[in-house]
Amino acid sequence: MRQVRTTCAYCGVGCGIRAEVTGDRSVFIKGDPEHPANFGKLCSKGTHLGETVGLEGRLLHPMIGERRAGWDEALDLVAGKMRDCIELHGPDSVALYVSGQLLTEDYYVANKLMKGFVGSANIDTNSRLCMASAVAAHNRAFGEDVVPVTYDDLDEADLILLVGSNTAWCHPVIWQRIEAAREMRGTKIVVIDPRRTETAEQADLHVPVAPDGDVALFNALLVEMVRRGVAEEDAPPLPHRPAAGEKGGVGPETFAALADLVAAHSRMVTVFSMGANQSIAGTDKGNAIINLHLATGRINAPGMGPFSMTGQPNAMGGREVGGLANMLACHLGFSDAERADVAEFWQAPHLCSGPGLKAVDLFRAVHDGRVRFLWIMATNPAVSMPDAGFVREALARCETVVVSDVIVDTDTARFAHVRLPALAWGEKDGTVTNSERRVSRQRALFAAPGEARADWAIIADVAKRMGFAGFDWSNAVGVFREYAAMTALSVKHGKVLDLTDKAGISDGDYEAMVPFLWGGRHPMAGRTMRHVPVEPRTRAADPAFPLRLNTGRYRDQWHTMTRTGLSPTLAQHRREPLLEVHPADAEAARIVDGALARVVTASGKSVFRVSVTDAQTLGQIFVPMHWSDEMASGGRGNLLPDQSVDPISGQPGFKNNACQIEPVASDWRAFLLSGEAITPEYLGWWSRSAVAGGWLYELAGDGAVDADVLLPAGERIEAVDMARGMRRLAVIDRGGSLIAALFVTRTGQLPPRDWIAGQLGQNGAALPELLAARPSMPAPDRGPVVCVCHGIGTNLILDAAEAGAASVADVGRACGAGTNCGSCRPAIARMLREWRADMTPLKEPEVAQ
Ligand code: SF4
């Protein structure tokens, strides 16, 4: 067994991991108790990383079309196509679309190639979809993309405002840190979010702001703080005062409660995330938040400051080295002096003259033929971009699409002319920077499988084939040294970013590098900061689409599920993409809980399973963003938003799109257990999730169900219950193990899936048991799984509550739920609260101003 210290693959918290490598492709994952981001904690996604490191579905050698190719042939082809395109159509006819999954070293080399040598800034990143508005807000307020706080400030705050952040699901270890602060020092927590998320349910105050109401709300708070003498009366000009009567749809009672908390606690951190950024007014939201901190002096001291939480593991590292189309490397812009310095440092013959195309504009340019060569790395824009149907059209039209990825068949890879096998998380070597500016090492756990290579090395090889000098590194540390030396330019231009003390780092010291912060704890102290007046702005109403659509993440899934979708453990939390809708909106649309419904916008439509819940505000619906064509025929959240972007940051407005919903009828509903992944495109609707040894499909459709197509060969047993419209089939191999099962109903209910899913590949269950989908001596029904680490469902938790468990800790002692990674603790708290509140009358809703 080998122990390797590395960093989690997923979110911007950047948790340290101690990985115990136990075999060729097996690893036991533990949190690193010495890593300052997480001090040993991990959420469910990080904890179960070990389930996603197998080679299933991996791209292991270069492919040209559907033909296996050697590296030389593939790289010659890519370099040749790129060179031809530049010669024939100019440098702006080529583009790179990269990812916050890349390491800083990968990002640095990609950016150097495009901006320095191709001569175009047409390199953008999927981080544009995640936090570009926060970057723009930082640049406007601080003159640089600097996060002015660290996680330590969360520990020392007395009030934490969470704006557009379902922290308990999306940044779970930060949520645990916030909870710890509440326990230690009584920190108050406010959630400002249109949805009553699990985070909001745990807050001291939930402020259900209207979609895009944040700017009005923070302007109103600022004026209120001036009125109360908490903010400076002569704080920079406040042209927003006339609009201050509007409070973003927040009722007077809730606004007063929020203002009281803000006025009373000077140690205040405002965390803002995708709910703020993914808006056509995302940059202004960031500045409205920063303005409040500037005017109240709540910045540059312990426990104070605005805090943008990034979504991806290395969004911040990409920002440092110029991964966004509108920046040069090292936080530099496009002034003559900055360009001249960059050109000299790189000895770059063709430094780009100005900003390139941001993500949405980039795919528009692909669509209309201005961009003819597109190289996509480590991301899946056919699923993740807004108006994803348009993006697919663009990819289908593009002359040359190159995809570097770890997965052989993603929705995007299907459009690729050339596929290049990259290293996956467990094989990469380099650095990442988390949300608080802390740089950590990511270290390889396994040898590179097949012919997979590091992204930076692939890009450098293409650059060399194009005849460019300056791409001769022999390892990742060589790239890192060059980047660190280049930050001398940011220092020269008055920026905070400074890694020059690492410019001469030895190979050994890089290998042993411990996590470090650039800029120190409060890097804006003593520097110029600007108040940027902002006005509320939102989308126009559309009578044809009377509801507002919100999209977001699930607790245990990541992005387009190419990795987390492989984990049977993580699949238990949400097996299907759900349309969450308020009961009155559901009734008005004649849709019911558990049925299917279609969400329709001006850009697209998709079908989801319905979950009716009063956690949704009337008039607003929510769908997840994770599901792809690989995982379902419907449930495609990103087909629905339009291409509107924030005019300053270019970040798409994923939230607050106009939509409508309608019922989808089907003749039958079924589930299928299968050892092999299939793509039942001929069925009306399907969605699959991982189970041990195979896949569980939820199916619905019209007409006949063709079991012969769905089920493999083997001994088949069957039961038909005409009265309940039920047909049940199980397929056994020669050894007596279950290899598939299909349960169909036309009028009734399907049985719970858990037990029979556990029989897949197993030998020993009696045939009647298989057809009943339960053992002859049934174990207690655990209910839907809440704690994925221990496989504990709702029923055991409610049993614990009935037996006297009064707190999440009590539940943990009684049944173990919530005692490992802790991601489910908010859900347990909600269950306890609901259990207790069963008899409590509902509060009258407030009238919003
Ligand atoms: Fe990974 Fe979870 Fe930590 Fe994010 S919070 S870095 S997903 S373990």
Side-chain angles (χ1 to χ4, degrees), residues 679-766:
T679 306
E681 278 160 354
Y682 45 89
L683 294 176
W685 188 90
W686 64 271
S687 166
R688 69 172 164 144
S689 61
V691 296
W695 297 93
L696 172 62
Y697 289 80
E698 297 291 332
L699 310 167
D702 293 330
V705 186
D706 192 341
D708 292 338
V709 175
L710 292 170
L711 293 173
E715 184 191 341
R716 198 179 284 188
I717 53 170
E718 180 170 357
V720 177
D721 182 341
M722 297 294 279
R724 291 198 289 164
M726 181 81 79
R727 187 179 177 203
R728 302 176 174 200
L729 301 102
V731 185
I732 314 284
D733 68 11
R734 283 193 189 152
S737 297
L738 180 72
I739 55 173
L742 175 65
F743 283 55
V744 188
T745 181
R746 289 182 179 272
T747 54
Q749 294 288 318
L750 293 165
R753 287 51 159 177
D754 278 3
W755 180 83
I756 189 161
Q759 302 308 305
L760 194 63
Q762 304 291 317
N763 189 339

Side-chain angles (χ1 to χ4, degrees), residues 8-15 41-47 170-174:
C8 178
Y10 298 119
C11 83
V13 179
C15 294
K41 293 184 185 306
L42 293 175
C43 77
S44 48
K45 291 187 286 287
T47 301
C170 303
H171 297 106
V173 168
I174 286 301

Side-chain angles (χ1 to χ4, degrees), residues 92-424:
D92 287 335
S93 65
V94 304
L96 266 55
Y97 186 64
V98 299
S99 161
Q101 302 286 319
L102 294 181
L103 304 185
T104 301
E105 290 77 2
D106 304 322
Y107 252 129
Y108 178 86
V109 178
N111 190 54
K112 181 176 178 179
L113 170 62
M114 276 304 292
K115 290 183 182 151
F117 289 79
V118 170
S120 169
N122 282 350
I123 169 170
D124 211 37
T125 159
N126 62 3
S127 300
R128 178 75 57 194
L129 316 182
C130 153
M131 40 59 342
S133 290
V135 173
H138 292 155
N139 280 325
R140 291 202 300 186
F142 307 137
E144 186 180 356
D145 177 22
V146 175
V147 172
V149 285
T150 70
Y151 297 156
D152 289 345
D153 291 303
L154 295 170
D155 304 340
E156 297 177 34
D158 293 324
L159 174 65
I160 297 176
L161 308 184
L162 300 168
V163 185
S165 169
N166 187 4
T167 323
W169 278 24
C170 303
H171 297 106
V173 168
I174 286 301
W175 174 251
Q176 291 182 29
R177 205 156 166 164
I178 291 171
E179 276 189 316
R182 169 147 74 179
E183 207 157 294
M184 290 288 292
R185 59 187 293 136
T187 305
K188 298 284 186 219
I189 301 168
V190 174
V191 170
I192 298 172
D193 195 313
R195 297 173 67 208
R196 199 179 76 232
T197 59
E198 261 181 25
T199 311
E201 284 173 346
Q202 305 236 48
D204 297 283
L205 179 67
H206 173 213
V207 179
V209 68
D212 286 336
D214 314 67
V215 171
L217 177 63
F218 273 84
N219 281 353
L221 265 180
L222 176 50
V223 171
E224 178 66 11
M225 291 307 112
V226 170
R227 192 184 71 76
R228 295 187 187 205
V230 176
E232 294 171 24
E233 177 63 56
D234 60 350
L238 297 173
H240 45 71
R241 277 179 187 235
E246 202 228 325
K247 299 177 176 63
V250 175
E253 208 180 294
T254 303
F255 182 79
L258 171 62
D260 287 348
L261 283 168
V262 171
H265 298 94
S266 59
R267 282 180 173 244
M268 178 180 95
V269 174
T270 306
V271 174
F272 59 107
S273 191
M274 304 336 141
N277 295 334
Q278 292 180 333
S279 158
I280 59 160
T283 306
D284 286 350
K285 290 183 186 184
N287 283 112
I289 290 165
I290 294 169
N291 287 346
L292 180 64
H293 280 271
L294 295 182
T296 54
R298 295 173 181 179
I299 192 166
N300 299 333
M304 301 180 184
F307 198 164
S308 153
M309 283 296 298
T310 57
Q312 297 197 77
N314 196 32
M316 183 72 88
R319 287 147 69 175
E320 292 163 8
V321 296
L324 293 164
N326 52 318
M327 301 159 70
L328 283 179
C330 299
H331 286 183
L332 297 177
F334 292 92
S335 71
D336 288 348
E338 288 164 296
R339 287 184 60 254
D341 281 339
V342 172
E344 186 185 343
F345 185 88
W346 279 342
Q347 292 294 293
H350 310 296
L351 193 82
C352 58
S353 56
L357 296 168
K358 297 167 186 156
V360 170
D361 286 338
L362 191 153
F363 281 98
R364 281 198 190 115
V366 175
H367 197 272
D368 66 26
R370 281 174 289 143
V371 168
R372 294 161 178 260
F373 173 100
L374 178 64
W375 188 352
I376 299 166
M377 298 177 197
T379 184
N380 198 0
V383 182
S384 55
M385 285 289 292
D387 200 357
F390 176 90
V391 169
R392 286 167 189 240
E393 277 178 25
L395 292 171
R397 291 173 176 202
C398 190
E399 278 177 18
T400 307
V401 177
V402 180
V403 170
S404 298
D405 209 321
V406 302
I407 303 293
V408 69
D409 184 20
T410 68
D411 288 22
T412 299
R414 291 173 190 175
F415 295 94
H417 301 99
V418 183
R419 280 174 284 172
L420 303 175
L423 298 180

